[in-house]
């Protein structure tokens, strides 16, 4: 949800500003006007990073990988006596005076079973950084010196405070 919030919030903000800068939801935003007449946002989502929507997109990519964190593990139940009708290893029932023991142990994959599932998030990070670099070149050609001024106002590319 957090990644979607950033992604949609940033894109909606930019779209509202482009279509109706007087909309009360975006009228308070600060911007700089370029020599070509374009308006570049320097506050709100777009004041935090020049491609803040990519951050939201990347956080969403983690949601596809994080559920695999337990890949390669097995849930093992053990008890001193056989399980009888009406008892479940999952409910912590007591059999013969001793509780059923439930533990999570590594299976034969020993953690390797999940490494490949994180390929997507790393691939997507490379893709987004490459896209951001192409966008930067395109904006430099389009806005020239104004883009240099904009980069000084909004120094972060994707992740505020880091990159």
């Amino acid at each position: 949800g957090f990644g979607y919030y950033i992604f949609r919030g940033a894109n909606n903000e930019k779209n509202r500003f482009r279509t109706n800068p007087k909309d009360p939801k975006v009228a308070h935003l600060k911007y700089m006007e370029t020599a070509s007449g374009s308006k570049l946002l320097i506050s709100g989502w777009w004041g935090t990073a020049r491609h803040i929507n990519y951050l939201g997109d990347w956080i969403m990519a983690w949601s596809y990988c994080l559920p695999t964190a337990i890949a390669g593990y097995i849930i093992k139940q053990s008890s001193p006596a056989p399980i009888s009708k009406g008892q479940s290893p999952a409910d912590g029932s007591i059999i013969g005076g001793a509780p059923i023991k439930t533990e999570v142990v590594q299976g034969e994959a020993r953690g390797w079973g999940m490494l490949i599932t994180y390929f997507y998030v790393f691939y997507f990070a490379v893709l987004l950084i490459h896209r951001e670099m192409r966008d930067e070149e395109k904006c430099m050609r389009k806005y020239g010196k104004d883009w240099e001024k904009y980069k000084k106002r909004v120094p972060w590319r994707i992740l505020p405070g880091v990159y």
Side-chain angles (χ1 to χ4, degrees), residues 5-50:
Y5 172 75
I6 294 171
F7 181 78
R8 289 302 330 144
N11 285 328
N12 284 342
E13 181 182 85
K14 181 171 61 172
N15 185 54
R16 272 197 183 97
F17 186 80
R18 282 183 176 169
T19 55
N20 181 11
K22 292 183 169 113
D23 182 323
K25 291 182 179 180
V26 294
H28 66 282
L29 295 174
K30 295 178 182 158
Y31 62 89
M32 63 175 275
E33 196 158 347
T34 66
S36 64
S38 294
K39 295 175 182 173
L40 301 174
L41 290 169
I42 56 173
S43 68
W45 284 110
W46 300 95
T48 59
R50 298 190 298 269

Side-chain angles (χ1 to χ4, degrees), residues 1-9 45 56-57 59-63:
F2 182 60
Y4 187 75
Y5 172 75
I6 294 171
F7 181 78
R8 289 302 330 144
W45 284 110
D57 218 0
I59 291 171
M60 284 190 292
W62 278 95
S63 70

Side-chain angles (χ1 to χ4, degrees), residues 138-155:
K138 179 182 165 192
C139 289
M140 190 61 200
R141 285 192 306 271
K142 182 177 180 179
Y143 301 117
K145 290 180 183 177
D146 288 328
W147 189 251
E148 289 298 328
K149 290 178 195 171
Y150 178 67
K151 287 181 356 181
K152 287 180 181 155
R153 299 288 297 266
V154 184

Side-chain angles (χ1 to χ4, degrees), residues 91-112:
D91 68 9
S93 299
I94 295 179
I95 298 176
I100 295 173
K101 182 180 176 189
T102 302
E103 61 182 328
V104 178
V105 296
Q106 282 188 327
E108 290 186 33
R110 302 259 184 251
W112 293 101

